[in-house]
Amino acid sequence: MEIDYRPHFNSEFELLIERIHPPRVCIDNDTCQDCTLVKVDSANKHGILLDMVQVLTDLDLVISKSYICSDGGWFMDVFHVTDQLGNKITDESLIHYIQQALCASRRGKKELQTCLGREMSTRHVSTEDTALEMTGTDRPGLLSEISAVLAELGCHVTAAEAWTHNTRAACIIYVEDETTGRSITDSARLAHIQELLENVVDAHQQMGERKSVRLTPPAASRTHTERRLHQLMLADRDYEKCSSCGDGGGYGGGGSGVVYRNEKGHGKGCDGTIVTIENCEEKGYSVVNMRSRDRPKLLFDTVCTLTDMQYVVFHAAISSMGSIAVQEYYIRHKNGCTLDLETERRRVIQCLTAAIERRVSHGLKLDVSTRDRLGLLSDITRVFRENGLTVTRADIGTRGERAVGSFYVTDVSGNNVNPDMVIEVIRQEIGGTVLVVNKSSGWSPENSTSSTTRSKGNGVEDRPRFSLGSLLWSRLEQLSSNFGVIKL
Protein backbone atom coordinates (compact mmCIF):
# COMPACT_ATOMS: atom_id res chain seq x y z
CA MET A 1 0.00 0.00 0.00
CA GLU A 2 1.35 3.41 -1.01
CA ILE A 3 1.63 6.01 1.73
CA ASP A 4 0.71 9.56 0.77
CA TYR A 5 2.52 12.13 2.92
CA ARG A 6 0.32 15.20 2.72
CA PRO A 7 0.59 17.50 5.75
CA HIS A 8 -2.53 19.29 6.93
CA PHE A 9 -2.21 22.59 8.78
CA ASN A 10 -5.10 24.10 10.69
CA SER A 11 -4.33 27.80 11.17
CA GLU A 12 -6.45 28.14 14.32
CA PHE A 13 -4.83 25.07 15.83
CA GLU A 14 -1.39 26.50 15.00
CA LEU A 15 -2.23 29.75 16.81
CA LEU A 16 -3.48 27.82 19.83
CA ILE A 17 -0.31 25.72 19.98
CA GLU A 18 1.80 28.86 19.68
CA ARG A 19 -0.03 30.55 22.56
CA ILE A 20 0.35 27.49 24.76
CA HIS A 21 3.95 26.81 23.76
CA PRO A 22 5.62 30.07 22.66
CA PRO A 23 9.07 29.88 21.04
CA ARG A 24 11.96 29.21 23.40
CA VAL A 25 15.52 30.30 22.70
CA CYS A 26 18.60 29.31 24.67
CA ILE A 27 22.04 30.85 24.15
CA ASP A 28 24.59 28.31 25.42
CA ASN A 29 28.23 29.38 25.86
CA ASP A 30 29.23 26.46 28.10
CA THR A 31 28.86 23.33 25.97
CA CYS A 32 31.40 24.12 23.24
CA GLN A 33 34.83 25.68 23.64
CA ASP A 34 35.01 27.45 20.29
CA CYS A 35 31.44 28.52 19.52
CA THR A 36 28.08 29.56 20.96
CA LEU A 37 25.11 27.23 20.65
CA VAL A 38 21.81 28.87 19.74
CA LYS A 39 18.99 26.43 20.52
CA VAL A 40 15.50 27.09 19.22
CA ASP A 41 12.38 25.18 20.26
CA SER A 42 9.10 26.21 18.64
CA ALA A 43 5.83 25.15 17.04
CA ASN A 44 6.52 24.32 13.39
CA LYS A 45 5.44 26.32 10.36
CA HIS A 46 6.58 26.48 6.73
CA GLY A 47 9.44 28.97 6.42
CA ILE A 48 10.42 28.99 10.10
CA LEU A 49 13.90 27.62 9.35
CA LEU A 50 14.57 30.42 6.89
CA ASP A 51 13.35 32.98 9.44
CA MET A 52 15.84 31.69 12.01
CA VAL A 53 18.78 31.55 9.61
CA GLN A 54 17.93 35.01 8.30
CA VAL A 55 18.07 36.55 11.77
CA LEU A 56 21.52 35.11 12.46
CA THR A 57 23.03 35.96 9.07
CA ASP A 58 21.66 39.51 9.19
CA LEU A 59 23.74 39.96 12.36
CA ASP A 60 26.83 38.83 10.38
CA LEU A 61 27.17 35.74 12.57
CA VAL A 62 28.92 32.68 11.14
CA ILE A 63 27.00 29.39 11.31
CA SER A 64 29.58 26.60 11.22
CA LYS A 65 27.19 23.73 12.08
CA SER A 66 23.49 23.16 12.45
CA TYR A 67 21.23 20.24 13.34
CA ILE A 68 17.59 20.58 12.36
CA CYS A 69 14.52 18.53 13.22
CA SER A 70 11.05 19.75 12.30
CA ASP A 71 9.02 16.61 11.63
CA GLY A 72 5.40 16.78 12.76
CA GLY A 73 4.18 19.92 14.50
CA TRP A 74 7.38 20.89 16.32
CA PHE A 75 10.61 22.59 15.31
CA MET A 76 13.95 22.03 17.10
CA ASP A 77 17.25 23.42 15.87
CA VAL A 78 20.78 23.95 17.14
CA PHE A 79 23.07 26.48 15.47
CA HIS A 80 26.81 26.62 16.18
CA VAL A 81 27.70 30.29 15.73
CA THR A 82 30.60 32.71 16.16
CA ASP A 83 31.21 36.30 15.18
CA GLN A 84 33.24 37.15 12.07
CA LEU A 85 36.49 36.82 14.06
CA GLY A 86 35.64 33.31 15.28
CA ASN A 87 34.75 34.38 18.82
CA LYS A 88 31.81 33.28 20.96
CA ILE A 89 28.80 35.56 21.35
CA THR A 90 29.22 37.04 24.82
CA ASP A 91 27.77 40.55 24.48
CA GLU A 92 24.64 40.54 26.64
CA SER A 93 22.83 43.11 24.50
CA LEU A 94 23.49 41.02 21.37
CA ILE A 95 22.33 37.84 23.12
CA HIS A 96 19.14 39.61 24.20
CA TYR A 97 18.60 40.88 20.65
CA ILE A 98 19.00 37.37 19.19
CA GLN A 99 16.44 35.99 21.65
CA GLN A 100 13.99 38.78 20.83
CA ALA A 101 14.54 38.52 17.08
CA LEU A 102 14.17 34.74 16.89
CA CYS A 103 10.92 34.89 18.84
CA ALA A 104 9.70 37.87 16.81
CA SER A 105 10.42 36.11 13.52
CA ARG A 106 8.26 33.20 14.66
CA ARG A 107 5.42 35.42 15.85
CA GLY A 108 5.55 37.70 12.84
CA LYS A 109 6.44 40.86 14.77
CA LYS A 110 8.70 43.31 13.02
CA GLU A 111 9.65 45.76 15.76
CA LEU A 112 12.25 44.79 18.32
CA GLN A 113 13.35 46.56 21.44
CA THR A 114 17.12 46.45 21.53
CA CYS A 115 20.02 48.29 23.07
CA LEU A 116 22.54 47.12 20.49
CA GLY A 117 25.31 49.68 20.46
CA ARG A 118 27.03 48.55 17.27
CA GLU A 119 26.53 49.54 13.67
CA MET A 120 24.80 47.01 11.48
CA SER A 121 25.64 46.29 7.86
CA THR A 122 23.65 47.94 5.07
CA ARG A 123 19.89 47.62 5.40
CA HIS A 124 18.48 44.25 4.44
CA VAL A 125 15.14 45.76 3.45
CA SER A 126 13.56 49.22 3.30
CA THR A 127 9.84 49.74 3.80
CA GLU A 128 10.06 53.54 3.58
CA ASP A 129 11.70 54.07 0.18
CA THR A 130 10.69 53.47 -3.42
CA ALA A 131 12.18 50.21 -4.69
CA LEU A 132 13.60 49.50 -8.13
CA GLU A 133 13.90 45.83 -9.11
CA MET A 134 15.74 44.96 -12.31
CA THR A 135 16.80 41.76 -14.06
CA GLY A 136 18.32 41.42 -17.50
CA THR A 137 21.31 40.42 -19.58
CA ASP A 138 24.57 41.59 -18.04
CA ARG A 139 26.69 43.94 -20.13
CA PRO A 140 29.43 46.58 -19.69
CA GLY A 141 28.30 49.69 -17.83
CA LEU A 142 24.76 48.55 -17.02
CA LEU A 143 24.80 49.52 -13.34
CA SER A 144 26.54 52.79 -14.22
CA GLU A 145 23.86 53.71 -16.75
CA ILE A 146 21.00 52.83 -14.39
CA SER A 147 22.44 54.90 -11.54
CA ALA A 148 23.16 57.83 -13.91
CA VAL A 149 19.50 57.94 -15.01
CA LEU A 150 18.34 57.87 -11.39
CA ALA A 151 20.67 60.75 -10.49
CA GLU A 152 19.52 62.78 -13.51
CA LEU A 153 15.89 62.33 -12.42
CA GLY A 154 16.60 63.50 -8.86
CA CYS A 155 16.40 60.04 -7.28
CA HIS A 156 18.76 59.67 -4.35
CA VAL A 157 19.99 56.10 -3.82
CA THR A 158 19.74 55.14 -0.14
CA ALA A 159 20.71 51.47 -0.56
CA ALA A 160 21.45 49.07 -3.39
CA GLU A 161 22.51 45.49 -3.93
CA ALA A 162 23.48 43.94 -7.26
CA TRP A 163 24.40 40.36 -8.22
CA THR A 164 25.57 38.79 -11.46
CA HIS A 165 25.53 35.15 -12.48
CA ASN A 166 25.59 33.22 -15.74
CA THR A 167 25.58 36.37 -17.92
CA ARG A 168 22.46 37.52 -16.04
CA ALA A 169 22.21 40.56 -13.75
CA ALA A 170 19.81 41.52 -10.98
CA CYS A 171 19.68 44.50 -8.66
CA ILE A 172 17.43 46.09 -6.06
CA ILE A 173 17.88 49.83 -5.53
CA TYR A 174 16.04 51.86 -2.89
CA VAL A 175 15.56 55.53 -3.77
CA GLU A 176 14.00 58.67 -2.36
CA ASP A 177 13.25 62.10 -3.79
CA GLU A 178 16.35 64.27 -3.51
CA THR A 179 14.35 67.47 -2.90
CA THR A 180 11.96 66.25 -0.21
CA GLY A 181 13.99 63.37 1.23
CA ARG A 182 10.86 61.23 1.05
CA SER A 183 9.78 58.28 -1.03
CA ILE A 184 8.46 58.74 -4.56
CA THR A 185 4.78 57.86 -4.71
CA ASP A 186 3.43 59.88 -7.64
CA SER A 187 2.25 57.32 -10.20
CA ALA A 188 3.01 59.51 -13.23
CA ARG A 189 6.58 60.14 -12.09
CA LEU A 190 7.12 56.47 -11.28
CA ALA A 191 5.88 55.52 -14.74
CA HIS A 192 8.25 58.05 -16.36
CA ILE A 193 11.25 56.79 -14.39
CA GLN A 194 10.40 53.19 -15.18
CA GLU A 195 10.06 53.94 -18.90
CA LEU A 196 13.52 55.54 -19.05
CA LEU A 197 15.09 52.68 -17.10
CA GLU A 198 13.47 50.15 -19.42
CA ASN A 199 15.13 51.96 -22.32
CA VAL A 200 18.49 51.61 -20.58
CA VAL A 201 18.02 47.89 -19.93
CA ASP A 202 16.72 47.38 -23.49
CA ALA A 203 19.83 48.94 -25.03
CA HIS A 204 22.07 46.39 -26.76
CA GLN A 205 19.68 43.53 -25.88
CA GLN A 206 18.78 41.08 -28.59
CA MET A 207 15.18 40.56 -29.59
CA GLY A 208 13.32 38.32 -27.18
CA GLU A 209 15.89 38.42 -24.35
CA ARG A 210 14.42 38.30 -20.86
CA LYS A 211 14.30 41.51 -18.86
CA SER A 212 12.27 43.09 -16.08
CA VAL A 213 12.14 46.61 -14.62
CA ARG A 214 9.73 47.40 -11.80
CA LEU A 215 9.34 50.39 -9.50
CA THR A 216 7.16 50.06 -6.42
CA PRO A 217 6.16 52.67 -3.82
CA PRO A 218 6.79 52.07 -0.10
CA ALA A 219 5.05 49.09 1.44
CA ALA A 220 4.43 48.13 5.05
CA SER A 221 5.91 44.72 4.38
CA ARG A 222 8.67 43.79 1.94
CA THR A 223 10.72 40.69 1.29
CA HIS A 224 14.26 40.60 2.65
CA THR A 225 16.51 42.14 -0.03
CA GLU A 226 18.85 39.15 -0.43
CA ARG A 227 15.95 36.72 -0.49
CA ARG A 228 14.26 38.90 -3.11
CA LEU A 229 17.41 38.85 -5.25
CA HIS A 230 17.37 35.05 -5.13
CA GLN A 231 13.71 35.13 -6.18
CA LEU A 232 14.41 37.55 -9.04
CA MET A 233 17.28 35.49 -10.43
CA LEU A 234 15.34 32.26 -10.00
CA ALA A 235 12.41 33.76 -11.92
CA ASP A 236 14.89 35.02 -14.52
CA ARG A 237 16.10 31.41 -14.92
CA ASP A 238 19.76 32.23 -14.43
CA TYR A 239 20.26 28.51 -13.70
CA GLU A 240 19.27 27.38 -17.19
CA LYS A 241 22.08 28.33 -19.51
CA CYS A 242 25.54 28.29 -17.98
CA SER A 243 28.51 29.78 -19.76
CA SER A 244 31.84 28.00 -19.98
CA CYS A 245 34.18 28.38 -17.05
CA GLY A 246 36.31 31.48 -17.40
CA ASP A 247 33.66 33.30 -19.41
CA GLY A 248 30.57 35.08 -18.18
CA GLY A 249 29.78 38.51 -16.93
CA GLY A 250 29.58 41.07 -14.22
CA TYR A 251 28.08 44.51 -14.19
CA GLY A 252 30.15 45.82 -17.05
CA GLY A 253 31.01 42.44 -18.58
CA GLY A 254 33.75 40.00 -17.64
CA GLY A 255 33.68 37.97 -14.46
CA SER A 256 34.03 34.24 -13.98
CA GLY A 257 31.20 32.11 -15.25
CA VAL A 258 30.15 28.73 -13.95
CA VAL A 259 29.03 25.57 -15.69
CA TYR A 260 26.41 23.01 -14.73
CA ARG A 261 28.23 20.34 -12.74
CA ASN A 262 27.53 17.14 -10.93
CA GLU A 263 29.58 14.53 -9.19
CA LYS A 264 31.22 13.42 -12.45
CA GLY A 265 33.59 16.35 -12.71
CA HIS A 266 34.27 20.06 -12.76
CA GLY A 267 35.07 22.56 -15.45
CA LYS A 268 38.18 24.68 -15.54
CA GLY A 269 37.96 27.46 -12.97
CA CYS A 270 34.78 26.15 -11.34
CA ASP A 271 34.14 26.23 -7.61
CA GLY A 272 33.51 22.50 -7.32
CA THR A 273 29.88 22.68 -6.23
CA ILE A 274 28.23 19.25 -6.11
CA VAL A 275 24.50 18.68 -5.56
CA THR A 276 22.90 15.22 -5.59
CA ILE A 277 19.37 14.04 -4.80
CA GLU A 278 18.23 10.57 -3.76
CA ASN A 279 14.92 9.27 -2.48
CA CYS A 280 14.81 7.64 0.95
CA GLU A 281 11.79 5.38 0.50
CA GLU A 282 12.02 3.97 4.02
CA LYS A 283 11.51 7.40 5.60
CA GLY A 284 9.48 8.95 2.80
CA TYR A 285 11.92 11.79 2.10
CA SER A 286 14.06 13.05 -0.74
CA VAL A 287 17.64 13.52 0.46
CA VAL A 288 19.56 16.48 -0.94
CA ASN A 289 23.33 16.42 -0.46
CA MET A 290 25.39 19.51 -1.22
CA ARG A 291 29.13 20.02 -1.10
CA SER A 292 30.80 23.30 -1.97
CA ARG A 293 33.44 25.72 -0.83
CA ASP A 294 32.51 27.20 2.51
CA ARG A 295 31.65 30.88 2.75
CA PRO A 296 29.48 33.24 4.82
CA LYS A 297 25.70 33.13 4.24
CA LEU A 298 25.88 29.78 2.45
CA LEU A 299 23.20 28.24 4.68
CA PHE A 300 20.89 31.20 4.08
CA ASP A 301 21.24 30.86 0.30
CA THR A 302 20.36 27.16 0.19
CA VAL A 303 17.52 27.30 2.72
CA CYS A 304 16.11 30.37 0.97
CA THR A 305 16.03 28.55 -2.37
CA LEU A 306 14.42 25.39 -0.98
CA THR A 307 11.78 27.46 0.84
CA ASP A 308 10.91 29.60 -2.20
CA MET A 309 10.67 26.49 -4.37
CA GLN A 310 8.02 25.25 -1.90
CA TYR A 311 10.05 22.45 -0.34
CA VAL A 312 9.87 21.68 3.38
CA VAL A 313 13.01 20.75 5.31
CA PHE A 314 12.15 18.09 7.88
CA HIS A 315 15.67 17.19 9.00
CA ALA A 316 19.08 18.57 8.13
CA ALA A 317 22.72 18.46 9.17
CA ILE A 318 25.18 21.16 8.12
CA SER A 319 28.89 21.26 8.86
CA SER A 320 32.23 22.64 7.69
CA MET A 321 35.11 20.30 6.88
CA GLY A 322 38.18 22.44 6.42
CA SER A 323 37.38 24.79 3.57
CA ILE A 324 34.45 22.64 2.41
CA ALA A 325 30.83 22.94 3.50
CA VAL A 326 28.67 19.80 3.56
CA GLN A 327 24.88 20.09 3.78
CA GLU A 328 22.30 17.35 3.88
CA TYR A 329 18.55 17.97 3.80
CA TYR A 330 15.62 15.58 4.16
CA ILE A 331 12.84 17.28 2.24
CA ARG A 332 9.42 16.90 0.66
CA HIS A 333 7.45 19.26 -1.49
CA LYS A 334 4.96 21.38 0.45
CA ASN A 335 2.19 19.15 -0.91
CA GLY A 336 3.83 16.15 0.82
CA CYS A 337 5.37 14.53 -2.26
CA THR A 338 8.97 13.51 -2.74
CA LEU A 339 11.03 14.36 -5.84
CA ASP A 340 10.17 11.36 -7.98
CA LEU A 341 10.63 12.79 -11.47
CA GLU A 342 14.09 13.11 -12.98
CA THR A 343 13.17 16.48 -14.49
CA GLU A 344 12.20 17.83 -11.07
CA ARG A 345 15.39 16.55 -9.44
CA ARG A 346 17.49 18.07 -12.20
CA ARG A 347 15.79 21.45 -11.83
CA VAL A 348 16.30 21.45 -8.05
CA ILE A 349 19.98 20.56 -8.55
CA GLN A 350 20.42 23.39 -11.05
CA CYS A 351 18.61 25.92 -8.85
CA LEU A 352 20.59 25.02 -5.72
CA THR A 353 23.87 25.15 -7.65
CA ALA A 354 22.95 28.60 -8.95
CA ALA A 355 21.93 29.78 -5.47
CA ILE A 356 25.29 28.69 -4.05
CA GLU A 357 27.33 30.27 -6.80
CA ARG A 358 25.49 33.49 -7.64
CA ARG A 359 26.81 35.07 -4.42
CA VAL A 360 30.40 33.89 -5.01
CA SER A 361 32.34 37.10 -5.58
CA HIS A 362 35.06 37.38 -8.20
CA GLY A 363 37.62 40.14 -8.35
CA LEU A 364 39.07 42.83 -6.15
CA LYS A 365 36.88 43.76 -3.19
CA LEU A 366 36.76 47.44 -2.33
CA ASP A 367 35.12 48.82 0.80
CA VAL A 368 34.10 52.45 0.29
CA SER A 369 33.08 54.99 2.93
CA THR A 370 32.43 58.63 2.04
CA ARG A 371 29.95 61.49 2.50
CA ASP A 372 26.60 60.64 1.03
CA ARG A 373 25.24 62.79 -1.83
CA LEU A 374 23.06 62.67 -4.91
CA GLY A 375 24.70 60.75 -7.77
CA LEU A 376 27.39 59.09 -5.65
CA LEU A 377 26.69 55.59 -6.99
CA SER A 378 26.65 56.99 -10.51
CA ASP A 379 30.04 58.66 -10.01
CA ILE A 380 31.69 55.55 -8.54
CA THR A 381 30.42 53.20 -11.25
CA ARG A 382 31.32 55.75 -13.95
CA VAL A 383 34.91 55.78 -12.67
CA PHE A 384 34.96 51.99 -12.90
CA ARG A 385 33.58 52.03 -16.45
CA GLU A 386 35.96 54.74 -17.68
CA ASN A 387 38.93 52.77 -16.37
CA GLY A 388 37.90 49.51 -18.03
CA LEU A 389 36.58 47.88 -14.86
CA THR A 390 33.45 45.85 -14.30
CA VAL A 391 31.39 45.42 -11.12
CA THR A 392 30.55 41.77 -10.50
CA ARG A 393 28.74 42.46 -7.24
CA ALA A 394 27.78 45.50 -5.16
CA ASP A 395 26.25 46.14 -1.74
CA ILE A 396 25.89 49.74 -0.58
CA GLY A 397 23.85 51.69 1.94
CA THR A 398 23.80 54.80 4.11
CA ARG A 399 24.60 55.36 7.76
CA GLY A 400 23.60 58.83 8.79
CA GLU A 401 25.36 61.25 6.45
CA ARG A 402 27.81 58.68 5.13
CA ALA A 403 27.54 56.11 2.37
CA VAL A 404 29.23 52.78 2.95
CA GLY A 405 29.46 49.76 0.73
CA SER A 406 31.47 47.08 -1.02
CA PHE A 407 32.22 46.55 -4.71
CA TYR A 408 33.85 43.59 -6.42
CA VAL A 409 35.62 44.62 -9.62
CA THR A 410 37.59 42.93 -12.40
CA ASP A 411 38.70 44.06 -15.85
CA VAL A 412 36.36 43.42 -18.76
CA SER A 413 37.93 39.98 -19.29
CA GLY A 414 37.42 38.95 -15.68
CA ASN A 415 41.11 39.27 -14.77
CA ASN A 416 42.81 40.84 -11.76
CA VAL A 417 43.17 44.61 -11.61
CA ASN A 418 45.80 46.87 -10.07
CA PRO A 419 44.45 47.80 -6.61
CA ASP A 420 46.62 50.90 -6.29
CA MET A 421 45.26 52.29 -9.55
CA VAL A 422 41.67 51.64 -8.52
CA ILE A 423 42.05 53.27 -5.12
CA GLU A 424 43.74 56.34 -6.56
CA VAL A 425 41.14 57.04 -9.25
CA ILE A 426 38.24 56.62 -6.78
CA ARG A 427 39.86 58.88 -4.21
CA GLN A 428 40.46 61.56 -6.81
CA GLU A 429 36.84 61.38 -7.92
CA ILE A 430 34.86 60.99 -4.68
CA GLY A 431 37.31 61.30 -1.78
CA GLY A 432 36.50 59.41 1.39
CA THR A 433 38.03 56.11 2.47
CA VAL A 434 38.71 53.26 0.05
CA LEU A 435 40.00 50.00 1.50
CA VAL A 436 41.22 46.98 -0.44
CA VAL A 437 39.84 43.93 1.32
CA ASN A 438 40.74 41.13 -1.06
CA LYS A 439 43.30 41.18 -3.88
CA SER A 440 42.46 37.76 -5.26
CA SER A 441 40.27 36.97 -8.23
CA GLY A 442 37.50 34.66 -7.19
CA TRP A 443 36.67 33.13 -3.86
CA SER A 444 39.43 31.34 -1.99
CA PRO A 445 39.34 29.34 1.24
CA GLU A 446 41.79 31.69 2.91
CA ASN A 447 39.23 34.49 2.68
CA SER A 448 36.39 32.53 4.23
CA THR A 449 35.43 33.27 7.82
CA SER A 450 32.99 30.43 8.16
CA SER A 451 35.42 27.54 8.59
CA THR A 452 37.13 26.70 11.82
CA THR A 453 40.05 25.06 10.02
CA ARG A 454 41.63 25.61 6.61
CA SER A 455 42.62 23.32 3.81
CA LYS A 456 46.27 23.34 2.78
CA GLY A 457 45.50 22.80 -0.89
CA ASN A 458 43.52 24.85 -3.35
CA GLY A 459 41.53 21.95 -4.74
CA VAL A 460 38.28 20.59 -3.50
CA GLU A 461 38.68 17.63 -1.22
CA ASP A 462 37.15 14.31 -2.19
CA ARG A 463 33.60 13.79 -1.08
CA PRO A 464 33.54 12.05 2.33
CA ARG A 465 32.17 8.56 2.14
CA PHE A 466 29.64 8.80 4.93
CA SER A 467 26.15 10.19 5.36
CA LEU A 468 25.38 13.10 7.63
CA GLY A 469 21.88 11.67 7.84
CA SER A 470 23.07 8.82 10.03
CA LEU A 471 24.78 11.36 12.27
CA LEU A 472 21.56 13.39 12.43
CA TRP A 473 19.35 10.44 13.37
CA SER A 474 21.74 9.46 16.16
CA ARG A 475 21.66 13.02 17.51
CA LEU A 476 17.92 13.64 17.55
CA GLU A 477 17.30 12.01 20.93
CA GLN A 478 20.20 13.94 22.44
CA LEU A 479 18.91 17.22 20.98
CA SER A 480 15.42 16.59 22.30
CA SER A 481 16.72 16.10 25.82
CA ASN A 482 18.76 19.28 25.56
CA PHE A 483 15.67 21.33 24.78
CA GLY A 484 14.04 20.22 27.98
CA VAL A 485 15.93 22.81 30.01
CA ILE A 486 15.74 25.76 27.62
CA LYS A 487 14.84 28.98 29.37
CA LEU A 488 14.40 32.51 28.05
Side-chain angles (χ1 to χ4, degrees), residues 280-322:
C280 178
E281 296 182 2
E282 180 184 355
K283 299 292 183 179
Y285 300 115
S286 291
V287 184
V288 180
N289 283 282
M290 285 178 280
R291 184 166 152 271
S292 66
R293 293 193 183 278
D294 198 10
R295 61 165 174 79
K297 299 191 177 183
L298 180 63
L299 179 59
F300 173 85
D301 295 336
T302 54
V303 171
C304 178
T305 300
L306 288 171
T307 302
D308 286 334
M309 293 183 73
Q310 301 300 306
Y311 292 102
V312 179
V313 176
F314 289 89
H315 304 282
I318 290 89
S319 66
S320 298
M321 304 177 60

Side-chain angles (χ1 to χ4, degrees), residues 17 32 40 58 97 138 197 225 266-267 290 302 314 329 396 433:
I17 292 295
C32 292
V40 184
D58 283 354
Y97 180 89
D138 187 24
L197 291 173
T225 301
H266 314 295
M290 285 178 280
T302 54
F314 289 89
Y329 297 93
I396 63 171
T433 301

Side-chain angles (χ1 to χ4, degrees), residues 56-215:
L56 297 176
T57 53
D58 283 354
L59 290 170
D60 291 329
L61 299 178
V62 177
I63 304 173
S64 58
K65 290 183 182 180
S66 182
Y67 302 100
I68 297 156
C69 178
S70 61
D71 216 341
W74 209 251
F75 173 89
M76 295 185 293
D77 199 355
V78 175
F79 299 99
H80 294 234
V81 303
T82 63
D83 62 18
Q84 290 288 323
L85 299 177
N87 301 318
K88 289 185 176 184
I89 312 303
T90 57
D91 187 303
E92 290 297 329
S93 61
L94 179 56
I95 290 175
H96 181 61
Y97 180 89
I98 293 172
Q99 291 174 324
Q100 279 191 305
L102 290 177
C103 289
S105 67
R106 180 64 184 95
R107 295 167 184 165
K109 297 178 181 178
K110 299 299 181 183
E111 295 183 2
L112 297 172
Q113 294 182 350
T114 176
C115 54
L116 278 181
R118 67 189 187 97
E119 287 188 330
M120 304 293 291
S121 57
T122 53
R123 286 181 297 178
H124 297 283
V125 66
S126 172
T127 59
E128 301 174 353
D129 297 325
T130 303
L132 163 65
E133 297 180 351
M134 187 283 300
T135 59
T137 303
D138 187 24
R139 61 176 172 80
L142 178 57
L143 182 59
S144 177
E145 293 173 16
I146 290 174
S147 54
V149 169
L150 291 173
E152 183 68 23
L153 296 173
C155 301
H156 176 225
V157 175
T158 59
E161 189 157 357
W163 291 357
T164 62
H165 177 248
N166 248 5
T167 73
R168 308 301 298 170
C171 70
I172 297 177
I173 302 177
Y174 297 107
V175 298
E176 64 183 13
D177 184 84
E178 171 61 19
T179 304
T180 64
R182 297 180 179 177
S183 60
I184 303 170
T185 57
D186 180 72
S187 58
R189 186 180 179 189
L190 287 174
H192 177 61
I193 296 172
Q194 181 166 317
E195 181 182 2
L196 295 180
L197 291 173
E198 285 175 345
N199 292 336
V200 170
V201 177
D202 272 337
H204 311 295
Q205 284 214 153
Q206 297 180 5
M207 186 68 69
E209 283 189 325
R210 300 187 304 272
K211 64 181 184 302
S212 173
V213 178
R214 181 169 174 256
L215 271 109

